[in-house]
Amino acid sequence: MSSQDTPAVMAPAGGKTADKVFKGIAYACGILILVVLAAVFLFLFFRAWPLIGGDQAANSATISSFTGGKVSSFWGYVLPLLFGTVLISVLALLIAFFVSIGIALFISHYAPKKVATALSYVIDLLAAIPSVIYGLWGGLILVPAIYPFWNWVANHLGWFPLFAGPAANPQRTVATVAVVLAVMVLPIITSMSRDIFLQTPSLQQEAAYGLGATKWEMIKLAVLPFGKSGIVSASMLALGRALGETMAVLMILSPSVTGYSFKILQASQSNAIASNIAAQYPEADDLGVSVLIGTGLILFLITFVVNFVARKITEKASA
Amino acid sequence: MGQRIDVNHENIYYGDFLAVEDVNINIEANKVTAFIGPSGCGKSTVLRTLDRMHELIPGARVEGEVLLEGKNLYDKDVDPVSVRRDVGMVFQRPNPFPTMSIRENVLAGVRLNNKHISKSDADDLVEWALRGANLWNEVKDRLDNPGIGLSGGQQQRLCIARAVAVHPQVVLMDEPCSALDPISTLAVEDLINELKSDYTIVIVTHNMQQAARIADYTAFFNLKAVGQPGHLEYFADTTTMFNNPQNDEAERYISGRFG
Amino acid sequence: MGQRIDVNHENIYYGDFLAVEDVNINIEANKVTAFIGPSGCGKSTVLRTLDRMHELIPGARVEGEVLLEGKNLYDKDVDPVSVRRDVGMVFQRPNPFPTMSIRENVLAGVRLNNKHISKSDADDLVEWALRGANLWNEVKDRLDNPGIGLSGGQQQRLCIARAVAVHPQVVLMDEPCSALDPISTLAVEDLINELKSDYTIVIVTHNMQQAARIADYTAFFNLKAVGQPGHLEYFADTTTMFNNPQNDEAERYISGRFG
Amino acid sequence: MDGAPVIDFDKFRVKPSTEKRRKAKDLFMAGLIALAFVIACLPLISVLYTTIKNGIKRLNLNFLTYNMTGVIGGNQTPSGGYGGVLHAIIGTLEITGGAMLISIPIGVMCAVYLVEYAHGGKLAMTISLLVDVMSGIPSIVAGLFAFSMFTIAFGPGTINGFEGSVALSLLMLPTVVKSCEEMLKIVPNDLREASLALGVTKQRTITKIVLRTALPGIVSGCILAIARVIGETAPLLMTAGFIASTNVNLFSGQMTTLPVYVYQEYSKLSANCPANADATCVTTIPMERAWAAALVLIIVVLVLNLIGRLVAKVFAVKTER
Amino acid sequence: ATVAACGDNTASTSSSSTSTDASKTAPVTGNYQGAGATSQQAATEAWIAGFEAANDGAKIAYNPTGSGAGVTTFLTGATAWAGSDKALSDDDLAKSKAVCAEGEAFDVPVYISPIAIVFNLKGVSDAGKHINLDAATAAKIFDGKITKWNDPAIADQNKDLTLPDTAITVVHRSDKSGTTQNFVSYFKDAAPDAWTYDLSENWPNEVGQGAKGTSGVISTVKQADGTIGYADFSQVGDLGTAAIKVGDKYNEISAEGGSKVIEDSPLDDSAKGDNRVVVKINHSTTADGAYPIVLVSYDIVCPAYKDAKQGAFAKAWLTYVTSAEGQKAAQDAAGSAPLPSSLTEKVTKSIEAIKTK
Ligand SMILES: Nc1ncnc2c1ncn2[C@@H]1O[C@H](COP(=O)(O)OP(=O)(O)OP(=O)(O)O)[C@@H](O)[C@H]1O
Ligand SMILES: Nc1ncnc2c1ncn2[C@@H]1O[C@H](COP(=O)(O)OP(=O)(O)OP(=O)(O)O)[C@@H](O)[C@H]1O
Ligand SMILES: [Mg+2]
Ligand SMILES: [Mg+2]
Ligand SMILES: O=P([O-])([O-])[O-]
């Protein structure tokens, strides 16, 4: 085939290298996430190694010193912490989830446009408040302010095991921490869902309206299904944030040393892994740090499991 | 029985832009009325004011009256939801609900009012509606597949099935056949003919043959100039419109017809 | 000069679903070839294999050959990007870029490819393309307004303008006129006639009059049964196809024609 | 319609009771949704009110232009102030900026990979899962990790601002990736096809059409991510350290950030005044400084936020005429 | 000009003029870092200010990461000194050999601060009144054995107060803390029957509520009626404090009272190693006016550094910190108790041992 006959198909397209490089970078960034996570995992694993491969008597002694002699095995130490972490995070997510979706819908579909823009700013503002300030506010303002409410709850709904009284005063409890964490994760869910709800194709919304759907029915038919994947992602991010939150929990919660409890209105019932690490790390010796990092490793694994399960469930639900 | 619609001195705005000006039209019950006219003259816009879909666009508003059996749709005490239930709509672009199966798509409207329909009633209804839209044979074996797995034309017919399944009083159709092949188009036209014994039908079409074939009345919309509001230029029964129009613009438009 | 396309033994899959089977067709250079056939028979699917758009759908793949001037588009060493540069496409649904003005939309193909073009050349190109798509008069005063603020028909014409602005060798059109009014349709048909002196045109249409009017060759696709793959039933020059088809199915389909 | 079942539409007729119920439900949900908003406003108003009320007292030019060197107990400094946050503002901006520079490009590109290239393959599923997992890494563990990495790379006890940036970017990444991923997903496929059909390369389609269309959402996501880390304390104490004087070099020496400053001042709670001190010695000054610095922090984030919003607005999808 | 650009507060003239003649050695220059106990933070800030004023060109940073982390960092060689609420362990000593140019690290006390028992009780603390407690009663309160403020055990010691029937809420540190260890070691020594827990920096029981840091304890105590906790003396504010029974008198908390206990305390001979000065607090002192609940915090340094400049700094630093002037600065800034003269001598001798060449 002479060059003149060569169809234009063979004309090299400009930007091919850029295309390849770009793809390469995108791939590399994807892989980088894997590498970083593997590095974090290995780091945790090696720092926690003395727990497994080290002198078990010394381990027991270290853990005893953490717990005032109540517990000396690693599992006895970490499982209650894990329980508390999950309890706090799940409560926070439960509170935040519905409120967030509500606000996101309010902004995307209920409020008039001007108001909605203003409200969007408000939510961004909420997202912009740093966690140390939430810690300060939670510890200094919310704790005394919320006591009458929780006290009322304990007195009137105390039959429900979660709300068993008497409500601690000051309210440095799981319930209060969950509220603060809920406020902290709320903007994450809200902001992401709002952005997605706003993108719901108007074709689909009109399809619903055209069938005589009320606004709420339209939302159920068109907006929520469209936003589902985004809502799930946002909730997972929020849950991760709640699981890993350190400072706010540390500054508000009155922790327990060991033990499992659902009594969220009483003080010193539960503790969370991240804040426990922050509380113990500054004064911990080498072995102590290993124990703490071991608890971090467990949190890491649990986050993995929670996400894995959540993913499987949503996959099933959407299949 | 279908219901009649009377539009009086209607001005339609998108924000500050007056899209359509001073429309006066009487749409007879149990008849098919076609809207024709050049692109951008406001056919879709007018159609969407007949079931209050227009107001869903931010900033859009309507002046004047739209009377459904004498009752102004735009009265304060009228609930747009019930208007839209009585006045069904099929859009220019097919828009099945992407997360729903074909079956669920058809039932979507009915489910709003009847939470609990027996399975057999539902099955009958689905079949009836899909047959009406000439889609039954193509999808009867995969009713539980997602609605968006269909071709464009299939999707549009699914949307027609969804709209008729709620059994509205008036059916508005915005170029329902523009994505359909001739066979499906014929089927939809048959459906329209069948429906008109019970309902009032308004259809926007670019296909003048279609208008001539199925419409009892035809409304010709026009634009004075680009950027100017559209308006109803001429309204007549279909025979007059296509054979002996009393309006120069309409005649010019129709005589340019083809195909 | 336009380029010819030869399709040999093409099977087209969506995942495991064989959508179209064993297509063999020769599309002549500088001619207009129309694809007709019932909904769902695979016209769009085949069309999209001609510029390798099909493979963008996850799981979709093609077997067989598509030769553009003798060179198989699906050869390993062929870059789909350059294929698509030579083979332009207009879609069934108008899809202007929402972030761009009308002007930027028209220039998108040029600008996005990082070609530098002087302002006056750009102005000329925009005007040429928009005039060709019969949109110039309507939008010349608001070229900097967003492209999606237009009506459906206007949007579709904008997309046509965008596709011709890159001067492709072959233009594929998937029901480009289904959303257009007769006047715009005529304008687009004129454009097609004009383009064919330089380019090869393939058009999917449901409107058989349109096919009869503008196409030199017509391909009739059909489905044996629902769920079965579509196939090319009959391919002939347009006169034969519409006046004296040598194929029963095609005859049946065409004789059901109307309007 | 041969063979079509005959339908008794009376069966499906709308009952007034249903209609009432639907309407009631619609109203009820609207009420709930509005209520959700009010509820969310309560803590916000309270946090803002508290911070402004307590912070405004010490928020002045002196506070913004001095650092904490030479500040002893509750005593006044020669300049007439009680120390300030200049060093912490610089630290916050540099460290957060460093974290942004690391995590936003990586995060966006990772999202691009997930949405545009991977098409739900095994690797993509794994990455996407692991991104979620990453969001659960406690900030203090991120700090420990960065600290250990730098110890390995640059010798024991290495502490500098950039180390803090690395720790923070670990925390930012998941938010950036997830929000970008969601935003890219909702860009209509039509647009990609339209662009590709014009013979535009995939890279340009992604950068000029897809990312461009999703930009406002991506900006919100990045703002979220910044907000997520700009208030971090625990990892920064460990990696960037704490110092009273101004350090502008991100790559060497300790750096204080505003949250760390707030936390340290809060930890001090009150300052001591010598027995012979005059009225200019203020014992409550640490808490006052903490609130004032908190207010500064909020303002800093707010300004970043506004810049982001502005960017988003300029590039917003043009929907209206 | 550069000073203004960095926002540094120019050193106050009064303190620099007095300090220049106190340090006779050549001024130290360069950047030096320390890390460790949070308890010393306020004092260390004052010391840094004083030291930098006297040594133009020296830039010192102290990162209050906590004693454990401070010692760990010191043992990597990254810091010039560590502040710690507890003496070095044998393990730490062994590790320090690798860091110090020769010999083992040693610790000297630099900061003594009484720990107050603080409480918030309507009608008592807000009226500015104190309560009297003996070791056993206090131990029982903090162990949750005494749960009401009007419990006879308390009332008997406070005949002139009318104590309400309010429940006692104990507030303790939730983080690992030297303050906690020093506090409970008092119970362990002075009321061994009432306090049977192992000695630990973690609070050993689940009575009452935990709060992070001294600031957390103070704010929690302030938040509700009937609370009692413990905190560094300087942070007491207007909360009520307990006078502790010493001999047969109840002694109010005071800085001097803290010094007196240390004066009356022997050195800990279990602390092996050269130059070490570790105090074994005599909790059962009967010295007049002594307040027995105290925290002693140490600075840890090497006898010789690999970088001689660091040695010169460490020597100058400790000399200043333990000088009367340094101790006064700490007293002013942090409300601490001065090092008793009996200790100062030993400390000075140890400091002399630091090699600067
Ligand atoms: N959402 C909108 N916002 C602003 N203006 C609009 C909007 N939709 C349509 N318009 C304008 O209103 C006018 C009428 O549009 P409409 O869609 O009703 O035309 P049409 O007659 O249906 O055209 P077509 O036949 O192309 O569908 C046009 O000028 C159009 O640009
Ligand atoms: N994305 C897809 N995934 C799976 N199957 C598809 C997809 N798109 C189309 N199909 C199937 O492929 C077949 C051919 O579809 P195609 O869209 O090519 O039909 P068409 O001839 O263009 O119809 P129409 O005239 O309605 O546009 C149909 O059975 C359709 O259901
Ligand atoms: Mg229209
Ligand atoms: Mg098609
Ligand atoms: O100085 P602390 O160990 O009590 O924090």
Side-chain angles (χ1 to χ4, degrees):
Chain A
M1 203 186 285
S2 79
S3 65
Q4 245 169 332
D5 293 335
T6 308
V9 195
M10 294 187 65
K16 224 177 149 175
T17 336
D19 218 21
K20 282 217 177 98
V21 170
F22 189 76
K23 185 174 179 174
I25 294 175
Y27 261 85
C29 287
I31 304 285
L32 188 68
I33 300 273
L34 291 185
V35 172
V36 167
L37 227 78
V40 172
F41 178 81
L42 287 179
F43 155 74
L44 289 173
F45 191 77
F46 281 120
R47 290 290 303 261
W49 178 251
L51 268 181
I52 306 159
D55 173 7
Q56 292 305 327
N59 289 340
S60 299
T62 307
I63 292 167
S64 294
S65 83
F66 279 150
T67 59
K70 281 198 198 61
V71 171
S72 61
S73 82
F74 179 68
W75 292 111
Y77 182 57
V78 75
L79 289 180
L81 282 174
L82 191 59
F83 173 83
T85 310
V86 173
L87 178 68
I88 292 171
S89 315
V90 167
L91 284 178
L93 190 64
L94 273 184
I95 301 171
F97 182 80
F98 294 102
V99 178
S100 305
I101 301 296
I103 306 168
L105 286 173
F106 187 68
I107 293 174
S108 67
H109 286 88
Y110 282 86
K113 198 171 175 240
K114 281 225 176 77
V115 182
T117 336
L119 297 186
S120 274
Y121 281 109
V122 172
I123 289 305
D124 289 340
L125 196 61
L126 205 56
I129 293 176
S131 58
V132 63
I133 297 178
Y134 278 120
L136 275 185
W137 171 78
L140 299 178
I141 309 293
L142 185 68
V143 162
I146 207 170
Y147 171 70
F149 174 70
W150 286 135
N151 193 33
W152 180 89
V153 170
N155 288 339
H156 293 84
L157 303 171
W159 48 266
F160 189 63
L162 219 50
F163 300 134
N169 187 21
Q171 263 293 321
R172 296 179 169 269
T173 58
V174 169
T176 309
V177 172
V179 167
V180 174
L181 287 190
V183 176
M184 291 174 69
V185 301
L186 189 132
I188 299 180
I189 311 182
T190 306
S191 172
M192 263 174 91
S193 332
R194 171 200 63 196
D195 287 349
I196 292 165
F197 290 165
L198 282 172
Q199 299 288 326
T200 313
S202 57
L203 273 179
Q204 278 169 40
Q205 299 186 40
E206 292 188 345
Y209 277 130
L211 291 172
T214 61
K215 191 161 214 164
W216 171 243
E217 288 162 346
M218 184 281 289
I219 286 169
K220 272 203 306 193
L221 279 172
V223 179
L224 294 181
F226 179 77
K228 198 173 109 188
S229 136
I231 294 173
V232 171
S233 291
S235 305
M236 284 293 121
L237 268 188
L239 181 65
R241 172 92 206 257
L243 284 172
E245 177 55 35
T246 309
M247 230 9 129
V249 180
L250 185 62
M251 286 167 82
I252 300 168
L253 184 67
S254 162
S256 75
V257 181
T258 57
Y260 310 86
S261 164
F262 277 111
K263 297 179 195 131
I264 62 170
L265 295 181
Q266 297 182 20
S268 305
Q269 298 291 326
S270 300
N271 198 0
I273 290 179
S275 68
N276 183 60
I277 296 176
Q280 303 289 333
Y281 175 80
E283 300 291 337
D285 55 14
D286 268 354
L287 203 52
V289 171
S290 291
V291 171
L292 294 176
I293 291 199
T295 64
L297 184 64
I298 298 296
L299 178 60
F300 188 86
L301 295 177
I302 278 301
T303 315
F304 184 86
V305 170
V306 166
N307 276 288
F308 193 75
V309 171
R311 215 160 258 263
K312 283 283 167 246
I313 290 172
T314 44
E315 248 165 48
K316 229 179 220 143
S318 54
Chain B
M1 281 301 293
Q3 296 181 327
R4 61 173 290 122
I5 301 178
D6 299 280
V7 179
N8 297 330
H9 298 296
E10 191 183 33
N11 293 325
I12 314 177
Y13 294 84
Y14 288 101
D16 294 333
F17 173 62
L18 176 61
V20 186
E21 195 174 41
D22 197 30
V23 175
N24 291 282
I25 192 170
N26 304 315
I27 295 165
E28 298 294 325
N30 296 80
K31 293 278 187 274
V32 177
T33 305
F35 287 2
I36 61 171
S39 185
C41 65
K43 304 177 295 295
S44 303
T45 304
V46 172
L47 193 76
R48 290 165 54 90
T49 62
L50 303 185
D51 66 344
R52 298 190 60 172
M53 292 296 285
H54 181 67
E55 66 199 56
L56 295 175
I57 293 167
R61 69 203 161 81
V62 175
E63 286 169 1
E65 287 184 331
V66 178
L67 305 175
L68 182 64
E69 287 288 317
K71 173 78 188 156
N72 187 359
L73 296 187
Y74 287 89
D75 271 355
K76 284 241 162 57
D77 60 342
V78 173
D79 180 8
V81 170
S82 56
V83 170
R84 293 186 201 121
R85 196 188 45 234
D86 289 344
V87 183
M89 182 142 193
V90 176
F91 296 83
Q92 196 162 357
R93 286 191 194 180
N95 53 2
F97 295 118
T99 50
M100 292 186 187
S101 67
I102 294 172
R103 191 186 141 86
E104 286 307 316
N105 258 294
V106 175
L107 291 174
V110 185
R111 288 226 194 272
L112 294 177
N113 281 304
N114 302 275
K115 271 252 161 72
H116 312 286
I117 333 177
S118 71
K119 172 137 175 37
S120 67
D121 281 355
D123 288 344
D124 285 352
L125 188 62
V126 169
E127 184 173 346
W128 175 83
L130 286 174
R131 272 187 199 278
N134 194 32
L135 190 61
W136 176 249
N137 284 323
E138 283 160 65
V139 300
K140 66 176 175 228
D141 300 324
R142 43 170 173 164
L143 289 177
D144 291 324
N145 286 15
I148 43 165
L150 300 174
S151 80
Q154 290 166 332
Q155 287 187 19
Q156 184 62 306
R157 284 176 282 156
L158 178 60
C159 293
I160 295 176
R162 185 176 64 187
V164 297
V166 290
H167 217 66
Q169 311 277 313
V170 179
V171 180
L172 310 177
M173 298 185 171
D174 194 346
E175 306 186 34
C177 302
S178 69
L180 300 196
D181 65 316
I183 295 169
S184 311
T185 304
L186 270 184
V188 172
E189 290 182 5
D190 284 349
L191 176 69
I192 291 172
N193 263 321
E194 194 190 314
L195 289 175
K196 91 173 172 186
S197 62
D198 282 327
Y199 318 125
T200 306
I201 315 252
V202 186
I203 179 167
V204 174
T205 178
H206 279 311
N207 186 322
M208 260 158 286
Q209 285 63 37
Q210 188 171 57
R213 254 187 334 264
I214 58 168
D216 300 299
Y217 297 93
T218 302
F220 170 58
F221 288 82
N222 205 355
L223 267 177
K224 284 210 193 67
V226 180
Q228 293 284 307
H231 61 282
L232 175 60
E233 179 86 31
Y234 183 53
F235 178 61
D237 63 276
T238 302
T239 336
T240 317
M241 174 69 80
F242 286 96
N243 299 329
N244 187 19
Q246 304 296 308
N247 179 295
D248 291 348
E249 285 288 324
E251 178 153 22
R252 235 164 36 87
Y253 185 76
I254 289 158
S255 63
R257 78 178 192 254
F258 55 94
Chain C
M1 281 299 292
Q3 296 179 328
R4 61 174 288 122
I5 301 178
D6 299 280
V7 180
N8 297 330
H9 298 296
E10 191 183 32
N11 292 324
I12 314 176
Y13 294 85
Y14 288 101
D16 294 334
F17 173 61
L18 176 61
V20 187
E21 195 174 40
D22 198 30
V23 176
N24 292 282
I25 192 169
N26 305 315
I27 294 164
E28 297 293 326
N30 297 79
K31 293 277 187 273
V32 177
T33 304
F35 287 2
I36 62 171
S39 184
C41 66
K43 303 178 294 297
S44 303
T45 304
V46 172
L47 192 75
R48 287 166 57 92
T49 62
L50 303 185
D51 67 345
R52 297 190 60 171
M53 291 298 284
H54 180 68
E55 66 198 53
L56 296 177
I57 294 166
R61 68 204 161 79
V62 175
E63 286 168 2
E65 287 184 332
V66 178
L67 306 175
L68 181 65
E69 288 288 321
K71 173 75 187 160
N72 188 357
L73 296 188
Y74 287 89
D75 270 356
K76 283 240 166 53
D77 60 342
V78 174
D79 180 5
V81 172
S82 55
V83 172
R84 294 186 199 121
R85 229 168 260 179
D86 290 338
V87 183
M89 182 145 192
V90 175
F91 295 83
Q92 197 161 357
R93 288 188 191 181
N95 51 6
F97 297 123
T99 52
M100 297 184 185
S101 67
I102 293 172
R103 191 187 141 85
E104 287 164 342
N105 258 291
V106 176
L107 292 174
V110 180
R111 287 265 166 86
L112 290 179
N113 278 316
N114 279 359
K115 287 206 189 91
H116 291 286
I117 175 168
S118 73
K119 169 129 178 43
S120 67
D121 283 355
D123 288 345
D124 289 349
L125 183 62
V126 170
E127 183 171 347
W128 174 84
L130 287 174
R131 274 190 198 280
N134 195 30
L135 190 61
W136 176 248
N137 284 323
E138 283 160 66
V139 299
K140 64 173 177 236
D141 300 324
R142 43 170 173 163
L143 289 177
D144 291 324
N145 285 15
I148 47 167
L150 301 173
S151 81
Q154 290 167 331
Q155 287 187 19
Q156 185 61 304
R157 283 176 283 157
L158 178 60
C159 292
I160 294 175
R162 183 177 65 187
V164 298
V166 291
H167 290 291
Q169 311 279 314
V170 180
V171 180
L172 309 177
M173 298 185 172
D174 194 346
E175 303 186 36
C177 302
S178 70
L180 300 195
D181 66 314
I183 295 168
S184 311
T185 303
L186 269 185
V188 173
E189 291 182 5
D190 285 348
L191 176 69
I192 291 172
N193 263 321
E194 191 190 314
L195 290 174
K196 92 172 172 188
S197 61
D198 283 328
Y199 315 128
T200 306
I201 313 246
V202 185
I203 179 167
V204 175
T205 178
H206 278 310
N207 186 321
M208 260 159 289
Q209 284 63 39
Q210 186 170 59
R213 257 191 327 269
I214 57 169
D216 300 300
Y217 297 93
T218 302
F220 170 59
F221 288 83
N222 205 355
L223 268 177
K224 285 210 192 66
V226 180
Q228 293 284 309
H231 61 281
L232 175 60
E233 179 86 31
Y234 183 54
F235 178 61
D237 64 277
T238 304
T239 335
T240 317
M241 174 69 80
F242 286 96
N243 299 330
N244 187 22
Q246 304 298 308
N247 178 296
D248 291 349
E249 285 288 323
E251 177 152 27
R252 238 169 30 93
Y253 185 76
I254 289 159
S255 64
R257 77 176 195 256
F258 54 92
Chain D
M1 291 202 294
D2 307 320
V6 181
I7 307 290
D8 174 13
F9 277 97
D10 283 349
K11 260 195 217 161
F12 304 114
R13 204 199 301 279
V14 186
K15 290 173 222 76
S17 63
T18 333
E19 196 158 4
K20 258 202 205 126
R21 204 202 61 225
R22 285 177 59 198
K23 248 194 175 147
K25 180 151 191 194
D26 189 44
L27 271 179
F28 178 68
M29 292 314 294
L32 268 191
I33 284 169
L35 184 71
F37 191 78
V38 174
I39 288 178
C41 281
L42 289 180
L44 175 73
I45 291 168
S46 172
V47 171
L48 285 184
Y49 173 78
T50 313
T51 314
I52 293 171
K53 191 188 81 181
N54 293 317
I56 203 82
K57 189 168 170 198
R58 293 291 168 194
L59 185 59
N60 52 35
L61 197 63
N62 189 291
F63 188 69
L64 294 175
T65 49
Y66 281 93
N67 58 33
M68 289 297 286
T69 52
V71 176
I72 305 169
N75 293 318
Q76 204 167 32
T77 57
S79 64
Y82 291 88
V85 287
L86 179 69
H87 61 311
I89 295 177
I90 293 173
T92 294
L93 291 179
E94 286 194 11
I95 290 176
T96 314
M100 279 166 69
L101 284 182
I102 298 171
S103 57
I104 291 180
I106 294 180
V108 171
M109 287 308 284
C110 181
V112 164
Y113 165 71
L114 290 176
V115 178
E116 305 293 332
Y117 287 105
H119 302 304
K122 268 253 162 61
L123 179 64
M125 296 283 273
T126 316
I127 291 177
S128 164
L129 170 68
L130 292 186
V131 169
D132 283 343
V133 174
M134 206 166 164
S135 73
I137 295 179
S139 50
I140 187 153
V141 170
L144 278 168
F145 174 72
F147 181 71
S148 300
M149 286 293 127
F150 274 73
T151 295
I152 292 170
F154 303 104
T158 307
I159 281 188
N160 59 44
F162 188 68
E163 195 176 329
S165 298
V166 170
L168 292 190
S169 52
L170 213 61
L171 300 170
M172 265 181 94
L173 258 180
T175 315
V176 176
V177 175
K178 276 286 133 178
S179 52
C180 288
E181 188 187 350
E182 291 306 324
M183 294 309 140
L184 293 182
K185 268 193 201 154
I186 56 176
V187 173
N189 225 5
D190 285 4
L191 298 182
R192 294 187 182 90
E193 293 201 342
S195 172
L196 290 171
L198 289 171
V200 177
T201 60
K202 188 154 186 173
Q203 173 252 326
R204 289 186 195 134
T205 300
I206 292 170
T207 45
K208 297 191 176 169
I209 302 293
V210 181
L211 287 177
R212 179 67 189 70
T213 309
L215 190 77
I218 293 177
V219 170
S220 311
C222 292
I223 291 176
L224 262 187
I226 294 168
R228 161 80 178 83
V229 298
I230 203 169
E232 276 302 340
T233 314
L236 289 176
L237 267 174
M238 216 167 276
T239 52
F242 177 69
I243 190 167
S245 57
T246 312
N247 174 13
V248 291
N249 187 349
L250 184 64
F251 298 96
S252 154
Q254 306 197 24
M255 264 185 157
T256 304
T257 61
L258 282 166
V260 169
Y261 180 92
V262 171
Y263 181 69
Q264 292 291 0
E265 291 299 316
Y266 161 74
S267 296
K268 281 190 214 158
L269 199 64
S270 65
N272 206 60
C273 285
N276 58 349
D278 54 13
T280 59
C281 183
V282 182
T283 56
T284 53
I285 193 68
M287 268 323 270
E288 291 173 10
R289 278 194 297 245
W291 283 115
L295 187 55
V296 172
L297 182 52
I298 288 186
I299 293 171
V300 167
V301 186
L302 208 61
V303 169
L304 288 180
N305 212 327
L306 281 179
I307 295 173
R309 286 276 130 199
L310 216 65
V311 170
K313 193 163 193 154
V314 168
F315 293 104
V317 172
K318 301 173 178 108
T319 39
E320 252 82 45
R321 50 172 58 242
Chain E
T2 50
V3 171
C6 296
D8 287 349
N9 294 287
T10 40
S12 65
T13 41
S14 60
S15 72
S16 65
S17 64
T18 48
S19 59
T20 31
D21 41 33
S23 53
K24 292 174 189 87
T25 44
V28 173
T29 57
N31 290 339
Y32 302 97
Q33 287 167 17
T38 49
S39 51
Q40 296 184 29
Q41 184 181 0
T44 306
E45 277 171 9
W47 289 330
I48 289 176
F51 188 82
E52 284 182 353
N55 295 276
D56 222 11
K59 218 160 190 192
I60 295 140
Y62 181 73
N63 194 352
T65 51
S67 310
V71 172
T72 308
T73 315
F74 174 77
L75 291 177
T76 65
T79 46
W81 90 98
S84 175
D85 290 342
K86 55 181 177 197
L88 288 164
S89 68
D90 295 346
D91 222 23
D92 294 337
L93 270 186
K95 280 186 195 158
S96 70
K97 280 186 191 141
V99 182
C100 298
E102 56 189 68
E104 294 168 337
F106 65 91
D107 30 23
V108 292
V110 292
Y111 177 80
I112 297 170
S113 176
I115 300 171
I117 293 181
V118 292
F119 69 97
N120 179 8
L121 186 62
K122 258 205 199 94
V124 182
S125 66
D126 52 0
K129 291 179 186 145
H130 303 287
I131 55 168
N132 296 333
L133 291 176
D134 60 26
T137 312
K140 281 180 193 152
I141 291 173
F142 279 93
D143 196 21
K145 299 276 161 31
I146 295 174
T147 57
K148 292 276 183 207
W149 278 101
N150 61 355
D151 190 285
I154 305 175
D156 286 351
Q157 299 177 62
N158 294 283
K159 295 256 165 21
D160 51 339
L161 294 178
T162 40
L163 292 166
D165 182 31
T166 312
I168 297 178
T169 303
V170 170
V171 181
H172 56 80
R173 292 283 290 267
S174 64
D175 49 337
K176 210 171 186 200
S177 156
T179 309
T180 299
Q181 178 157 355
N182 278 287
F183 181 63
V184 298
S185 75
Y186 168 70
F187 290 158
K188 219 165 156 46
D189 288 349
D193 298 336
W195 195 265
T196 54
Y197 300 103
D198 290 343
L199 201 55
S200 159
E201 291 172 288
N202 276 306
W203 188 253
N205 60 34
E206 270 161 5
V207 173
Q209 303 204 10
K212 156 76 182 160
T214 299
S215 50
V217 169
I218 294 288
S219 57
T220 306
V221 168
K222 280 184 182 158
Q223 274 166 357
D225 187 28
T227 47
I228 188 166
Y230 56 93
D232 195 82
F233 178 42
S234 62
Q235 302 298 329
V236 165
D238 48 11
L239 288 171
T241 53
I244 302 297
K245 191 169 189 184
V246 174
D248 38 40
K249 270 199 266 172
Y250 290 95
N251 287 350
E252 289 276 352
I253 184 167
S254 68
E256 297 71 37
S259 276
K260 282 193 181 134
V261 177
I262 301 303
E263 212 168 347
D264 192 29
S265 299
L267 287 190
D268 187 348
D269 12 280
S270 67
K272 299 208 168 59
D274 297 337
N275 302 319
R276 296 186 65 187
V277 183
V278 178
V279 182
K280 190 170 166 53
I281 301 166
N282 176 12
H283 285 121
S284 41
T285 179
T286 51
D288 191 36
Y291 181 85
I293 318 178
V294 283
L295 169 130
V296 178
S297 196
Y298 301 88
D299 270 3
I300 297 168
V301 291
C302 279
Y305 286 79
K306 289 178 179 154
D307 175 1
K309 271 188 86 181
Q310 288 217 353
F313 161 74
K315 193 166 191 174
W317 170 254
L318 282 187
T319 307
Y320 168 68
V321 162
T322 54
S323 69
E325 187 195 341
Q327 288 296 306
K328 173 77 171 49
Q331 241 178 309
D332 286 349
S336 61
L339 281 178
S341 48
S342 57
L343 267 186
T344 316
E345 257 170 59
K346 292 171 193 142
V347 168
T348 312
K349 240 181 88 197
S350 295
I351 295 171
E352 290 299 322
I354 302 177
K355 296 206 172 88
T356 57
K357 292 250 159 51

